[in-house]
Amino acid sequence: MPSYGREVALGLDALRAAILLSEALGDSLGSGPGGGSRGPGGYGDADLAASSEDDAAERTRLIALVELARKGDSEAFGMLYDHYQPSVYRFLFYRTRSGPLAEDLTSETFFRALRSMTGFRWQGKDFGAWLMTIARNLATDHFKAGRTRLEMTTEDMGAHDDATEGPESTVLASMTNEILLEALTQLPDEQRDCLVMRFLQGMSIAETAEVLGRSDGAVKQLQLRGVRNLAKLMPDGIRGS
């Protein structure tokens, strides 16, 4: 499994900072991390092709791979899998707090995406956001079906990092981060998913709105309510640790 140590630590730091800012200012949070960009595409909807990658060359590469994949190129889809699998898995792990379940749902996400590739249309949407929508729907359906319940696990977050990453693994195993991750699971589904996508995934307001099927303004309010509710769940004296 790939290493997520530094990204997770930075995301949790950003989330804790947002909690402190919310409590100090009591004001609406800004657009935060992430940002959407657009690039050229094809398949009849070139002007609507989009990618959230910062690097122009990478945006062009990913859009081209999507174009090939929806025309049936399995190798191109494999490259898309290599690029997006870590972020899809990471979201599902935060959503379920179970490594094996996250792996199963990640596999199902890409299976469904492959099966639906020929019908994919840009419509201004980022391919990664489309995958995240599939993943979120699968997780929601899984819990609704009663096959399992969202439960706290004692699985060490550091288990998903390379054993040689001493400092990062220590950060991931810290009590503060573990309490924060556990507190996230106590939020309403939409608030939790919003915070995971915004802070731990680094997705923009627009990308998060696309996945949740909400307006940008609604996502800002979800983020604000989620951060404030998360602050109430954090024990005194540990919020800024």
Side-chain angles (χ1 to χ4, degrees):
M1 197 60 61
S3 168
Y4 307 132
R6 190 174 302 280
E7 294 178 23
V8 174
L10 290 175
L12 292 172
D13 286 345
L15 190 51
R16 281 197 296 275
I19 292 171
L20 293 173
L21 180 63
S22 172
E23 293 182 314
L25 302 179
D27 199 0
S28 174
L29 300 178
S31 60
S37 305
R38 293 192 174 191
Y43 207 67
D45 50 2
D47 57 330
L48 296 176
S51 171
S52 60
E53 294 295 323
D54 292 329
D55 182 73
E58 185 67 356
R59 288 198 301 271
T60 300
R61 184 183 80 90
L62 291 172
I63 289 171
L65 287 175
V66 172
E67 292 297 301
L68 290 171
R70 64 179 178 172
K71 292 175 183 176
D73 189 319
S74 59
E75 184 175 350
F77 186 84
M79 292 180 182
L80 290 171
Y81 174 88
D82 290 341
H83 181 85
Y84 289 107
Q85 185 273 342
S87 61
V88 170
Y89 171 82
R90 191 163 61 244
F91 171 78
L92 288 167
F93 179 73
Y94 292 135
R95 184 71 168 79
T96 65
R97 295 303 307 279
S98 166
L101 178 55
E103 290 176 359
D104 289 345
L105 292 178
T106 298
S107 296
E108 180 65 16
T109 295
F110 282 95
F111 174 74
R112 293 196 181 189
L114 177 61
R115 193 171 57 188
S116 304
M117 275 306 299
T118 56
F120 173 79
R121 296 295 181 271
W122 287 111
Q123 299 179 342
K125 68 174 62 176
D126 176 86
F127 183 73
W130 181 65
L131 288 173
M132 208 66 70
T133 300
I134 297 174
R136 182 172 184 264
N137 289 340
L138 280 171
T140 299
D141 290 345
H142 181 86
F143 290 118
K144 279 184 177 179
R147 289 191 293 270
T148 189
R149 290 288 183 270
L150 183 62
E151 54 188 26
M152 305 312 301
T153 71
T154 57
E155 183 173 1
D156 182 6
M157 289 290 292
H160 296 280
D161 297 281
D162 295 335
T164 57
E165 289 185 346
E168 291 181 1
S169 294
T170 299
V171 170
L172 291 178
S174 72
M175 181 179 297
T176 301
N177 286 352
E178 197 60 32
I179 289 175
L180 182 57
L181 288 167
E182 291 181 1
L184 270 173
T185 68
Q186 300 177 48
L187 296 177
D189 287 356
E190 207 168 35
Q191 290 180 22
R192 178 188 60 245
D193 291 349
C194 177
L195 294 187
V196 168
M197 285 185 278
R198 292 286 293 122
F199 291 96
L200 302 182
Q201 296 292 99
M203 293 170 64
S204 69
I205 289 284
E207 291 164 343
T208 304
E210 186 176 310
V211 174
L212 295 178
R214 295 289 207 115
S215 67
D216 288 4
V219 167
K220 290 178 183 178
Q221 288 302 311
L222 272 174
Q223 177 175 315
L224 179 60
R225 289 196 299 271
V227 168
R228 287 176 173 171
N229 287 336
L230 196 58
K232 296 174 185 177
L233 293 170
M234 295 291 286
D236 293 337
I238 202 169
R239 295 170 186 169
S241 299

